[in-house]
Amino acid sequence: MILVDLLGLMYWWDIQLNAVSLVNLVMAVGISVEFCSHITRAFVVLTSGSRMDRSVMALSTIGSSVLSGITITKFVGVVVLGFSKTRIFQVFYFRMYLGIVLFGAAHGLVFLPVLLSYIGPGQKK
């Protein structure tokens, strides 16, 4: 889903699909897993409560680590690229990485917990 959002962002910002943007898209897959895997693991490890309770607990226990440890640190690194004068850094690194970080955080911290609360795996018995 994050990859589809990035393709839409590329269309919106008129970023052409070439070797550099393709490498960024492949890298986005790995970075996207980083945003979602911690929340999913915390959800699955919890054994008691409904899906909604487990989703809330997963987000409250590991969500701050995902926000501060992954999102904010990557965002600070990306913002530095925004001050670059070179077009390749502006377009293919700043814009695309900004999209990866923002979409990854939105999906990992908002969309995924809601999805898990509705269709996540049931309780272990």
Side-chain angles (χ1 to χ4, degrees):
M1 193 68 185
I2 297 170
L3 198 59
V4 172
D5 291 340
L6 281 174
L7 289 170
L9 183 73
M10 286 175 62
Y11 175 76
W12 182 267
W13 274 340
D14 198 29
I15 298 174
Q16 297 176 355
L17 186 62
N18 56 28
V20 177
S21 61
L22 186 61
V23 168
N24 286 338
L25 288 173
V26 170
M27 203 165 51
V29 172
I31 294 172
S32 300
V33 168
E34 187 177 12
F35 283 104
C36 298
S37 63
H38 300 292
I39 302 290
T40 305
R41 183 193 176 280
F43 179 85
V44 171
V45 168
L46 292 169
T47 57
S48 63
S50 66
R51 287 185 183 121
M52 177 67 83
D53 295 336
R54 291 171 37 215
S55 180
V56 168
M57 283 301 298
L59 196 56
S60 64
T61 57
I62 201 74
S64 62
S65 298
V66 171
L67 181 67
S68 64
I70 300 172
T71 306
I72 293 176
T73 56
K74 285 191 186 333
F75 184 74
V76 169
V78 167
V79 167
V80 172
L81 293 171
F83 296 107
S84 174
K85 302 285 186 213
T86 310
R87 179 163 166 74
I88 191 167
F89 284 112
Q90 277 286 325
V91 173
F92 294 109
Y93 292 108
F94 172 68
R95 289 184 188 175
M96 287 193 71
Y97 283 10
L98 183 67
I100 292 168
V101 170
L102 294 179
F103 286 135
H107 283 268
L109 295 171
V110 178
F111 180 66
L112 181 64
V114 171
L115 186 68
L116 288 173
S117 69
Y118 283 109
I119 60 170
Q123 297 175 354
K124 294 181 184 177
K125 299 203 183 209

